[in-house]
Every structure is written in C-alpha cells, then in structure tokens.
Amino acid sequence: RLPHALRKFERTLYESHPQLGTAMLDKNGGFAPEVIRMVTEHHVTPDGLGYPQDVAADATLEESRLVMVLDRYDEMLTGQLTLPPQSPQEALSHLYKEGQAKRLDLTLVSQLIRVIGVYPLYSLVELSSGEKGIVVAVPSGKSHQPIVSIVAEASGQRCLPPRTIDFSHQESGGCTIVTALDPDKEGIVIEDVLREPVAVGQQ
C-alpha cells in the first residue's frame, strides 16, 4: 500500500496493468478469448472514463464488468493504493454510489449486495439487546437475517464460548440487529474470535 497519493508516472504505470496482463496471457497462450477480454476490460467504466480508453464502454463483456465490481470491492476492503481499508458496509455503500454515478454497472452492484447481504460475512454487529456478535453465515434468500455468533454481552463481558443466534428463526418481537460496528474501535479481532469454539445452538 502506497503511503502517498499516486504521482503521475505511478498512476500511468498502474493504469497500464490491463494491457500488461493481456500481453502476458497472449505470450503464454492457452487462454480463452473471453478470459483475455476480461483482463483487458476490467477497468473500462460505463461512463467511459476508465482505462484503457481505446476500449468502448458499451462493448465490454458483462463478465468484465463483474470482475471490475469485485475488484473494486476488494480494493475497498483491503485498502489498496492510497485508500484506508473500509468495513464491508462502507464498501458496499460506496459501490452503490459509484454504480449510481455510472462508474460501475449498477445492476451488477445490486446483485452483489443481494448475494453478500445487508450484513456481510464476518461483519461485527450490535443487537437491540446491547450484545455484540459476528455474522458467521448468511442463509440463501435471507440476507437480512444472518446467523450471528455472540461474542460480547451487553455489559461488555466476553461471551465464552460464543453462542449463535439464527435470525431467520427469531420470533416476531425478538432481538434484532441494530447496526454494524468497527472491530478496531471495539477492540475485537475478528480472526481471533473465529478460532474460538462456538456453543452450538440458537436463540
């Protein structure tokens, strides 16, 4: 990750990577034309302001546009280039705004959001009970009702072992997810918590 804004020559070098990748695939051979096109086109934006600029925005493969959405999402999560890492919720929100601005394919962005869910996998969330938990599964078709592993009581005390709540089986009027939280600000290391044994069962 670069600690400064990209200088002009760095930006030019970075934006040449689709052509460099295409040349590498052509040299090695054995790749389907569609694969080569995806490498070439995955930074060509719907508004025509992407790169390489000699590729028409309205002529790209849908697969190329999908790779662009996924690549952008990964950049936001990992903080590539000069961007600080974002939470999944922040990244999805930014993706949607870029879709609305025609920087990304809005239809594909919307589909990604539906697949990932309102609360993406491994998000830290706060419940209406005051408890904190980690999203450990997102049932198909129930993106707003994930399975959450409770890691902290409302008092702040760690929940050991963590217990699970399947929100798709919650009765009306039961506990709900209130908001997503920043793990760093809460002092919770998601990777460490996921290594801990979990109490099987649901509320």
Side-chain angles (χ1 to χ4, degrees):
R1 191 186 314 159
L2 299 176
H4 53 75
L6 292 180
R7 294 186 286 270
K8 184 176 180 179
F9 80 91
E10 291 173 321
R11 173 60 64 182
T12 300
L13 178 61
Y14 175 75
E15 292 185 357
S16 71
H17 78 264
Q19 295 99 316
L20 295 174
T22 299
M24 185 179 298
L25 295 185
D26 284 335
K27 180 179 179 180
N28 290 333
F31 294 92
E34 294 80 8
V35 172
I36 295 177
R37 280 190 63 182
M38 282 188 277
V39 173
T40 303
E41 300 173 350
H42 75 283
H43 280 291
V44 178
T45 59
D47 62 6
L49 299 178
Y51 53 89
Q53 294 185 348
D54 59 351
V55 178
D58 59 357
T60 59
L61 293 174
E62 183 179 47
E63 291 84 353
S64 302
R65 299 194 298 275
L66 177 59
V67 170
M68 183 179 188
V69 169
L70 299 176
D71 185 55
R72 185 75 177 119
Y73 182 56
D74 179 67
E75 286 179 351
M76 292 179 179
L77 292 181
T78 57
Q80 294 182 26
L81 298 178
T82 60
L83 299 173
Q86 299 180 22
S87 70
Q89 291 79 19
E90 290 173 325
L92 291 176
S93 176
H94 279 104
L95 282 181
Y96 193 77
K97 291 177 182 177
E98 291 191 1
Q100 290 179 311
K102 301 187 183 303
R103 292 288 297 165
L104 297 171
D105 186 316
L106 183 57
T107 298
L108 294 177
V109 170
S110 298
Q111 290 175 352
L112 175 65
I113 292 173
R114 284 198 294 272
V115 170
I116 292 178
V118 179
Y119 299 102
L121 200 60
Y122 308 138
S123 301
L124 180 66
V125 296
E126 182 174 2
L127 311 186
S128 57
S129 61
E131 298 166 307
K132 296 180 178 65
I134 297 171
V135 175
V136 293
V138 181
S140 178
K142 298 180 179 179
S143 61
H144 62 298
Q145 296 175 313
I147 298 174
V148 175
S149 179
I150 305 302
V151 298
E153 307 288 357
S155 63
Q157 183 177 355
R158 286 294 305 276
C159 184
L160 295 172
R163 67 182 188 281
T164 59
I165 296 179
D166 185 342
F167 281 91
S168 66
H169 291 103
Q170 280 281 94
E171 296 182 1
S172 177
C175 185
T176 60
I177 297 175
V178 176
T179 188
L181 299 171
D182 184 333
D184 291 334
K185 292 181 180 178
E186 299 298 325
I188 295 176
V189 180
I190 302 293
E191 293 80 1
D192 290 347
V193 175
L194 293 175
R195 295 190 186 100
E196 299 173 354
V198 177
V200 178
Q202 63 185 43
Q203 292 186 349

